[in-house]
């Protein structure tokens, strides 16, 4: 049985004019995809006007709260002791979102209670991923 951890979070979108606009987000983790975390944003935050969900490694989130981490589409770094910045790259542009580090740490702690770091079962994750790709064929 899959365990899902979901947590609402307040964040701030940092604009090109260095303004900080409040946004809501949903942090999510499922034991069926044990290496990934998902952060969902409502339509009013996206350029397309639709819900947007970013998926990246749980380990990247953990590392990025203590030191700059990431490459490609997602970069994470601490911003002082109280905040963590997530930088998302998409074809439409770049988004900088600042979260309270304590909220991210609480979320990660809950994910580690669901599936301990280093105790992820890769075989189950691969089997489920393959089943989703082939659609039961």
């Amino acid at each position: 049985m899959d365990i899902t951890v979901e947590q609402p979070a307040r964040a701030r979108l940092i604009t090109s004019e260095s303004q900080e606009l409040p946004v809501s987000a949903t942090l999510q983790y499922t034991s069926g995809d044990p290496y990934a975390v998902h952060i969902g944003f409502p339509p009013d935050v996206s350029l397309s006007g639709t819900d947007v969900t970013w998926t990246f490694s749980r380990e990247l989130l953990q590392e990025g709260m203590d030191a700059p981490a990431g490459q490609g589409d997602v970069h994470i770094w601490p911003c002082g002791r109280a905040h963590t910045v997530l930088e998302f790259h998409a074809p439409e542009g770049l988004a900088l979102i600042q979260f309270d580090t304590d909220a991210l740490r609480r979320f990660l702690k809950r994910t580690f209670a669901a599936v301990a770091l280093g105790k992820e079962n890769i075989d189950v994750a691969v089997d489920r991923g393959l089943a989703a790709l082939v659609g039961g064929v």
Side-chain angles (χ1 to χ4, degrees), residues 12 65 78-85 98-104:
R12 289 162 294 288
M65 288 189 296
C79 184
R81 293 169 56 188
H83 300 104
T84 299
V85 173
Q98 185 180 68
F99 286 87
D100 291 336
T101 301
D102 286 344
L104 295 177

Side-chain angles (χ1 to χ4, degrees), residues 29 34-36 57-63 108-121:
Y29 174 82
Y35 292 101
S57 81
R58 179 169 69 159
E59 186 177 1
L60 174 61
L61 181 59
Q62 181 184 26
E63 290 174 6
L108 277 179
K109 184 176 180 179
R110 293 176 62 211
T111 73
F112 295 145
V115 178
L117 190 61
K119 299 294 182 186
E120 302 93 343
N121 185 338

Side-chain angles (χ1 to χ4, degrees), residues 124-137:
V124 171
V126 168
D127 288 346
R128 286 185 181 161
L130 288 173
L133 284 174
V134 297
V137 174

Side-chain angles (χ1 to χ4, degrees), residues 14-131:
I14 303 168
T15 70
S16 58
E17 295 83 29
S18 297
Q19 294 178 328
E20 294 183 12
L21 305 174
V23 297
S24 60
T26 302
L27 309 172
Q28 187 180 53
Y29 174 82
T30 61
S31 60
D33 190 4
Y35 292 101
V37 293
H38 313 275
I39 300 182
F41 297 98
D44 60 321
V45 177
S46 75
L47 294 174
S48 66
T50 60
D51 290 331
V52 174
T53 300
W54 284 86
T55 302
F56 52 93
S57 81
R58 179 169 69 159
E59 186 177 1
L60 174 61
L61 181 59
Q62 181 184 26
E63 290 174 6
M65 288 189 296
D66 296 319
Q71 55 186 326
D73 294 341
V74 180
H75 300 257
I76 303 172
W77 66 88
C79 184
R81 293 169 56 188
H83 300 104
T84 299
V85 173
L86 281 71
E87 178 180 301
F88 300 110
H89 295 258
E92 301 82 17
L94 167 88
L96 292 175
I97 311 286
Q98 185 180 68
F99 286 87
D100 291 336
T101 301
D102 286 344
L104 295 177
R105 288 196 194 285
R106 279 192 305 276
F107 172 69
L108 277 179
K109 184 176 180 179
R110 293 176 62 211
T111 73
F112 295 145
V115 178
L117 190 61
K119 299 294 182 186
E120 302 93 343
N121 185 338
I122 188 69
D123 295 334
V124 171
V126 168
D127 288 346
R128 286 185 181 161
L130 288 173

